[in-house]
Structures are given as C-alpha cells and as structure tokens.
Amino acid sequence: MIAGFCSLAAAELVSALVRPEAGPVTAVGGAVIDRSPAALKEFAVRHFGTGDKPALELGIVVLLAVFAMAVGVLALHHRRTGSAAVLLFGAVGAVAAVGRPEGSAPDALPSVVGAAVGAGVLFALTGRLTTAPPRPPASGSGSGEAYRAFDRRGFVITAAVATAVSAGAGLLGRRLTSSVQAGATASRHDLVLPVPDSPAPAVPAGTGLDIRGLSPFFTPNKDFYRVDTALVVPRLDAAGWRLRIHGEGVARPLTVGLHDLLRREIIERDITLACVSNEVGGPYIGNARWLGVRLADLLREAGVRPPSAGGPADQLVARSVDGMTIGTPVEAVMDGRDAMLALGMNGEPLPFTHGFPVRMVVPGLYGYVSACKWIEDIELTTFDAYDAYWVRRSWAQQAPVKTESRIDTPRSLASPKPGTVPVAGVAWAQHRGISRVEVRVDGGEWHTARLAAADNRDTWRQWVWEWPATSGRHTLEVRATDGTGATQTGRRAGTVPDGATGRHSVVVDVS
C-alpha cells in the first residue's frame, strides 16, 4: 500500500508537468469509458448521475489498492517478481494514456515514472524482510522451518521517508497543476461579455409559474446538468484558444480566436438543452440564456453550402480538446435556427464544466449530436465517411429532440392532502414548441393543463393542472403535444439509440 501511494504521488507530480489528463487514474478511467458498452454507460448515468466520474475514479483507486496488496504478498515471496508486476501495471497506464484520442507519447511519462518509483519502493521495503536459514529442529520436534527476520527499524525508516517524500511530491504536483490552471481561471474572470447585437426578446409575463417544487424557467448554472466523458475538466486559457474550420466543401479554411468571435455579431437566445441519456421524467435537461456567434455565419464565410444548396458535406464533426467528437447535420446548423458558438451562459462567461471558453449550442438536437464543449476543431465531412464518438457506441447518427413532459410536483410517493392539488411540471419539444399538455389520473380521461406563457419554440414550457384529489393511492400521468400537432407517444423505449420515449407518471398517496 505504501508503494502504491508513492507510485500515484510520483505520477501526480509528473502529470502536472505533462498535463493533468495524463495521470494514470485519469488515463485508465478514460480508457474504461471509451471501451464501455452503451448499456454500462447508461447504468452509470442512471444510478450515479453527474457523480458517475467520481464513482469511476473511486472504483479504480479501490482496485489499485487491492492490486497493491496482492503484489505486496507476491513480493514477500518473490521480491523481483513483485516489483516487476508494478512495472507491468505502469505499462498498462502508459498504453491507456497514449491511446486516448488526444494522447501523445509524453502522456506515458506519468505512468512510467510512477511505476518505476512504486517498484523501487516495494523492492526496498521487502528488502527489510529476509528469509533466514532453517532453524535447527528443537528436541523432539520435526524438521526445521524457515523464518522471517523483520528489520523493524529499517522498515519504519524506509517507509516513513518514502511516504513523506511522495506526499511532498504529490502536493507539489497539485500546486503546479493549480498554478497552470490559475491562468485559465484568470482569463475567465477577466472576460467581459459584450452587449449582444441581437438580444433575446424579453421573456413574456407568466412564463414562470409560482408553484413550489416546479423547476425554475431558467436553470442556474450551478444546477445545469453535466453529462460528458471528461474525468478532468479542461481548463483552457481564453487567450490561447483557437478554432479551426476545414474539410470537404470548405473553400476558405478559417482559424479564429476568442477575440475574433467577440468582434462579430453577437446574438443572445434562450435555448433548452437535453441529454439523450435522459430517461422519461429524468433530470438531464436545462434552460439557459446563451450568448454567442451564429455558427452558420462562420460556415458561410468559409464557403460552406448546406446539402440543400448543393454542398458536398452533410456532417459537421466538432472536436473537443479532450478528444470527444460530435457529429451534427450541416443542414440543421444552416437552416435558420439559432445554432451558435456560445461564449456566455445566463449572463456570465461559460463555466469550465460547461465548455469555457467556447462551446456549440444547436436548438432541437440532443447534446450528443450538437453540444460540443471545449471545442477546438470543426471538420466538414459526410455521415457515410465518418462516425463520431457516440455513433461508434451504438447511438444514432442523427437525433432530434423528442416531445417529452415531466411531472415536477407532487413528487413520487408524496402524500398530499385531499382537495385541490397543483400538478405541475415542464414539457419540451425544442424547435417545434409545446401547444398542449394533458394529465390523467389512474388511467382515466385526459384533462387539459394550463400552459405558462411561451418564451419561444426552443425552450421548455411550464404547465399546471389543478387536481381535485381524493383519498387513496393514485397514479398521475402526463403527455404533451408539440407545435406540429404530434402527441407524445406512450410507447416505452430506452435511451439507446436516439432518446427515451414514454409518458412520465408518479404514484402518490392522498391522505
């Protein structure tokens, strides 16, 4: 265990000099995420939510501890073999780091150095345990037995020195990482968002219903859902950020920085984002006011034409600094909707967890085919020529947001009193809007809910139905109808491959 700690501490220091994402726990965790089947990812999101990444890292550390104990037992009997096993595990970390989509040869260094330190410490500690020759048999006893001579003083001194030095190295690594990230933090703090050239229309009165337990119309940044594969949140310095636009049908390749974007026309829009991993009635949806630059304008400047105008590319592949690739239909980006490169979120620069300094936002599409965070590259290609990250993992190439609704209050298993009970929630069908919401009790007739005022067709809509509740156990069920007249289906389907379907319901006990 001491050798394992020393190994991770040394790797922490070296990863601070290379890049934090190259650390062995992060690298192996990323490799696990990349190679996990869709069903396992959905299980993690469903049961751990936004805590899925800490849960994965904790699991890796627990496995490392078990491995360390097993190797320790092996080293007591086979000293060199035990140390070699540590080096083998370091090789696994090195391969995982280099094999990441954004990996490079230097990323192997933290795992290699950490393994070398761990192997050395293990070899030194087990050296304090020596096997002496067999004891002479005592009178009347059997054959002699080998015994271990424990150099207690030497073991304690070696262990203490190794632990102290490694702890110092780990703390130094943390300090160096924080120092590097301080520049990115300062760049976000210093970024002054411009006044939009095209501000969002004023939110109509009555858009938000004053009902306890109902989700607010705008989701605070701290509460906005986060679903991605980044075990270490990228912290980019705004001054050094660049975006490259290139590929098939790009007549004039572009490379732009943040200040280039700030000099362009800035738009402000209210847009609801939803994750394809959101189960019926799930929490992975949020509404925000976004500030940014129209992506279609940049594409036209680069000479890009949508397929409907004869353009050769039908897919836009956005790449993140962490290696994520997201494929978006070119037609959707250029059809007049407010697809943007977002710089601000709810009146402040993007939080690091939501893509600072720049991310993509495309109304009407699930995040896995539109909402690339920490974006650094846009390549124009075709869906036939390239499968983005999630498509290679059993998800659909294209995924418009489905018409959905959710009951926020009363919560499942709540115990309201008999009488008038407000049943309220949100409904969404981005880029189509919501025209009607209905609620029924115990599979009976549908009752039309009162809709809050609509902001625009790209945001969710609050609703409420005043239920004359009677005593007993009841099931409340909701469905929505979008702006095209299509009503939410009652057929239950999972999230894979293009989003869950079905009606949300809650069971309550009125008493």
Side-chain angles (χ1 to χ4, degrees):
M1 291 291 286
I2 292 172
F5 168 75
C6 295
S7 178
L8 291 178
E12 177 87 13
L13 175 59
V14 178
S15 66
L17 302 175
V18 178
R19 63 188 189 100
E21 296 83 356
V25 173
T26 301
V28 172
V32 169
I33 291 174
D34 288 346
R35 289 161 178 78
S36 296
L40 182 57
K41 288 188 176 72
E42 286 304 290
F43 175 86
V45 171
R46 183 166 58 252
H47 290 278
F48 297 105
T50 54
D52 58 342
K53 298 166 191 65
L56 173 61
E57 292 180 309
L58 176 61
I60 292 173
V61 171
V62 170
L63 289 176
L64 284 174
V66 172
F67 173 81
M69 290 186 284
V71 170
V73 172
L74 174 65
L76 287 175
H77 301 280
H78 306 282
R79 187 180 177 196
R80 296 182 187 277
T81 303
S83 297
V86 177
L87 296 176
L88 178 62
F89 202 77
V92 172
V95 171
V98 175
R100 296 283 292 143
E102 77 284 11
S104 60
D107 289 349
L109 288 175
S111 294
V112 171
V113 173
V117 170
V121 171
L122 181 64
F123 192 80
L125 290 175
T126 52
R128 301 299 176 180
L129 300 174
T130 58
T131 303
R135 294 177 183 272
S139 176
S141 66
S143 60
E145 297 179 351
Y147 69 96
R148 294 198 178 278
F150 186 22
D151 180 3
R152 184 182 303 276
R153 183 171 181 275
F155 183 90
V156 170
I157 291 175
T158 302
V161 170
T163 302
V165 171
S166 297
L171 291 174
L172 177 59
R174 290 289 177 92
R175 183 67 62 87
L176 289 174
T177 298
S178 298
S179 177
V180 171
Q181 293 177 343
T185 302
S187 73
R188 181 180 182 273
H189 180 269
D190 295 340
L191 178 61
V192 178
L193 295 179
V195 175
D197 300 292
S198 175
V203 176
T207 300
L209 301 176
D210 186 15
I211 298 174
R212 178 175 294 185
L214 178 61
S215 300
F217 181 70
F218 285 112
T219 309
N221 290 353
K222 64 181 179 61
D223 298 328
F224 210 95
Y225 77 92
R226 177 198 165 200
V227 176
D228 55 51
T229 63
L231 290 175
V232 175
V233 174
R235 289 180 172 263
L236 307 179
D237 191 315
W241 176 84
R242 295 292 184 273
L243 171 67
R244 179 184 175 218
I245 300 176
H246 61 105
E248 193 171 350
V250 178
R252 296 173 293 278
L254 295 178
T255 299
V256 297
L258 183 60
H259 290 289
D260 297 322
L261 296 183
L262 292 173
R263 288 193 290 266
R264 296 171 179 269
E265 181 186 15
I266 301 296
I267 65 172
E268 181 184 60
R269 298 292 184 267
D270 299 339
I271 299 171
T272 297
L273 298 186
C275 180
V276 74
S277 294
N278 202 36
E279 294 192 320
V280 173
Y284 304 127
I285 181 168
N287 186 51
R289 175 159 288 186
W290 305 92
L291 189 79
V293 174
R294 287 189 183 91
L295 181 52
D297 291 349
L298 278 171
L299 295 179
R300 291 190 185 96
E301 185 176 325
V304 176
R305 292 174 295 142
S308 61
D314 62 4
Q315 179 180 207
L316 177 159
V317 176
R319 288 184 172 84
S320 166
V321 298
D322 70 342
M324 172 58 63
T325 57
I326 287 179
T328 307
V330 175
E331 196 69 50
V333 173
M334 303 185 74
D335 67 359
R337 72 185 72 192
D338 292 313
M340 69 170 78
L341 293 175
L343 319 167
M345 180 181 182
N346 287 332
E348 64 179 81
L350 291 172
F352 287 108
T353 52
H354 292 291
F356 181 84
V358 179
R359 68 171 293 167
M360 270 178 60
V361 172
V362 183
L365 303 181
Y366 283 119
Y368 87 100
V369 292
S370 66
C372 184
K373 297 187 284 190
W374 314 294
I375 188 172
E376 68 171 0
D377 186 271
I378 291 177
E379 180 182 3
L380 278 296
T381 182
T382 66
F383 284 107
D384 288 338
Y386 185 82
D387 286 338
Y389 182 92
W390 291 112
V391 176
R392 296 196 297 270
R393 291 159 177 81
S394 303
W395 297 87
Q397 285 186 330
Q398 303 190 41
V401 173
K402 292 177 166 60
T403 301
E404 296 288 341
S405 54
R406 183 181 73 199
I407 298 173
D408 285 348
T409 183
R411 299 287 186 183
S412 187
L413 302 182
S415 299
K417 295 181 179 179
T420 301
V421 175
V423 180
V426 289
W428 59 93
Q430 291 93 307
H431 212 55
R432 299 185 303 280
I434 293 295
S435 63
R436 186 171 68 252
V437 171
E438 299 165 288
V439 181
R440 69 178 178 181
V441 183
D442 299 329
E445 65 176 308
W446 289 101
H447 302 274
T448 301
R450 175 170 63 89
L451 291 174
D455 183 3
N456 64 63
R457 63 178 182 168
D458 290 332
T459 62
W460 60 12
R461 199 167 179 182
Q462 296 181 348
W463 57 267
V464 61
W465 175 59
E466 303 294 343
W467 173 36
T470 57
S471 297
R473 172 166 284 203
H474 301 284
T475 299
L476 303 171
E477 187 178 5
V478 63
R479 70 179 183 184
T481 299
D482 66 27
T484 69
T487 299
Q488 177 181 352
T489 179
R491 184 179 64 85
R492 300 286 296 196
T495 55
V496 181
D498 60 357
T501 62
R503 302 187 189 117
H504 186 218
S505 63
V506 297
V507 176
V508 296
D509 284 305
V510 180
S511 58

